[in-house]
Amino acid sequence: PSPSPSPSTGPSPPPSTNAAPNFYYKSWQACSATEAEAFGEKFTCPADAALMCGADDDVRGLYCAESEKQSCADILSPSSINPASPGGAGWMSPTLMLGSSEMVAAAAADGYDGAYAVVTFDKLPLGTCIEVTPSSGSSQFAPSSAVPLAPKLKAQIFNTAASAVDVYMAGGGLGAYNGCSAAGSETAVPPVPFYSKYATSANTDFVSHLQSIGYSNAGSQLDSVVTWQGGIRGGATYAACIASGGSKQACAPPGNGCNGGGGICIEDAETACALAFEGVGSYTTTKAIESCKFAFAYDLHWNRDVRVEVVAFPPGLAE
């Protein structure tokens, strides 16, 4: 089936053809879920403050009344907020995960024959809209022939710290600014984790599932994989190859590991996605599972060879 009928200063917003939605500008001022320790004494505007336009005609000129400002330590205090009702903190919206029902509906409403996403990509300014098209031959990663179900993506660049296109989707690597979950000793524990269960060694049900499909050392490998190897991989084409008798490494697309230490790949999204993710809020759980299943169904959770082109901002993605 078709996808429709994955800090405080920065560049100016893009031209009006790529206008960013309102949450993009509001979240610029907020503390993120990873900032309490590093920026505890920083005073800033909470996400629920009344932002006003300053002299500079870009996002950096936004401000709020001094009386509304709070320290990041207070905004992000575990005793005062939680991901289900974040209040003044800036959180990444689960709505924007690749494959959420909202993102699928937005692409369908615009008549786009691919999928909508938000991405991290440092080679273009924040707020820019790009189209990401499967390609072949220009990198060491999977060519389009190895991921035949992967659609083109139209996406907004919404974050920094990635030299290649990094799509916001469930099960991706924990990233440079981890607000999702602890992962053993591999990453700092977020002040207020967004998930109560994630694809980590602490999730014993998920570990047991991985052991049942041949990852006998999943308990000792998983935290490193989800932190440093791009997260949990797998897709429908890979699963069909495994079902026909292929080995994990033979079935994995080029440039992607499924051997345990170099990567862990799921074979059944219906089972694995439900076990891997449980948000602190039920809405997060729903969106994470939707995204996980979508990425699997369309061969999207792999390191892939792609072509990137700047395009006009689609109305459905902004709305």
Side-chain angles (χ1 to χ4, degrees):
S2 172
S4 60
S6 132
S8 61
T9 61
S12 301
S16 58
T17 53
N18 288 326
N22 181 60
F23 70 83
Y24 169 82
Y25 296 105
K26 288 186 71 68
S27 65
W28 195 283
Q29 299 293 323
C31 303
S32 77
T34 63
E35 288 185 315
E37 183 174 344
F39 300 105
E41 297 306 313
K42 170 186 168 185
F43 282 76
T44 188
C45 303
D48 54 4
L51 294 182
M52 296 170 281
C53 294
D56 296 328
D57 189 24
D58 64 43
V59 67
R60 290 168 293 184
L62 294 174
Y63 70 99
C64 65
E66 288 297 318
S67 60
E68 287 197 276
K69 289 185 177 181
Q70 299 177 38
S71 72
C72 285
D74 288 338
I75 291 172
L76 299 173
S77 169
S79 64
S80 62
I81 65 167
N82 67 79
S85 180
W91 297 84
M92 189 57 244
S93 172
T95 304
L96 298 177
M97 287 185 192
L98 175 73
S100 73
S101 58
E102 292 88 348
M103 294 291 264
V104 171
D110 286 344
Y112 183 59
D113 59 347
Y116 281 175
V118 292
V119 302
T120 302
F121 187 46
D122 289 345
K123 294 181 180 179
L124 289 167
L126 284 166
T128 302
C129 189
I130 58 175
E131 188 165 64
V132 181
T133 306
S135 184
S136 297
S138 62
S139 78
Q140 74 272 33
F141 297 126
S144 56
S145 58
V147 285
L149 302 178
K152 59 186 178 182
L153 305 178
K154 194 169 282 188
Q156 184 189 24
I157 299 172
F158 80 125
N159 197 9
T160 61
S163 58
V165 176
D166 189 359
V167 181
Y168 176 43
M169 66 176 77
L174 290 173
Y177 303 102
N178 171 27
C180 293
S181 169
S185 61
E186 298 292 337
T187 182
V189 180
V192 187
F194 208 55
Y195 291 87
S196 54
K197 288 185 180 180
Y198 202 73
T200 66
S201 62
N203 186 340
T204 55
D205 290 336
F206 185 57
V207 170
S208 294
H209 170 71
L210 295 177
Q211 291 171 338
S212 75
I213 60 171
Y215 292 104
S216 57
N217 297 317
S220 60
Q221 295 170 331
L222 191 53
D223 291 338
S224 176
V225 165
V226 80
T227 303
W228 306 113
Q229 301 296 331
I232 299 301
R233 305 201 184 282
T237 299
Y238 168 82
C241 178
I242 293 290
S244 68
S247 68
K248 287 178 169 52
Q249 280 305 99
C251 292
N256 293 267
C258 290
N259 62 350
I264 289 178
C265 306
I266 60 174
E267 302 168 16
D268 173 11
E270 288 294 324
T271 300
C273 295
L275 291 173
F277 307 107
E278 182 180 294
V280 172
S282 60
Y283 181 75
T284 301
T285 304
T286 299
K287 296 301 111 178
I289 292 174
E290 287 177 356
S291 178
C292 178
K293 290 180 178 180
F294 185 93
F296 183 93
Y298 295 106
D299 290 347
L300 286 167
H301 207 161
W302 302 103
N303 289 321
R304 302 181 294 123
D305 191 6
V306 297
R307 183 177 68 254
V308 176
E309 179 184 4
V310 176
V311 296
F313 203 92
L317 188 55
E319 295 168 1

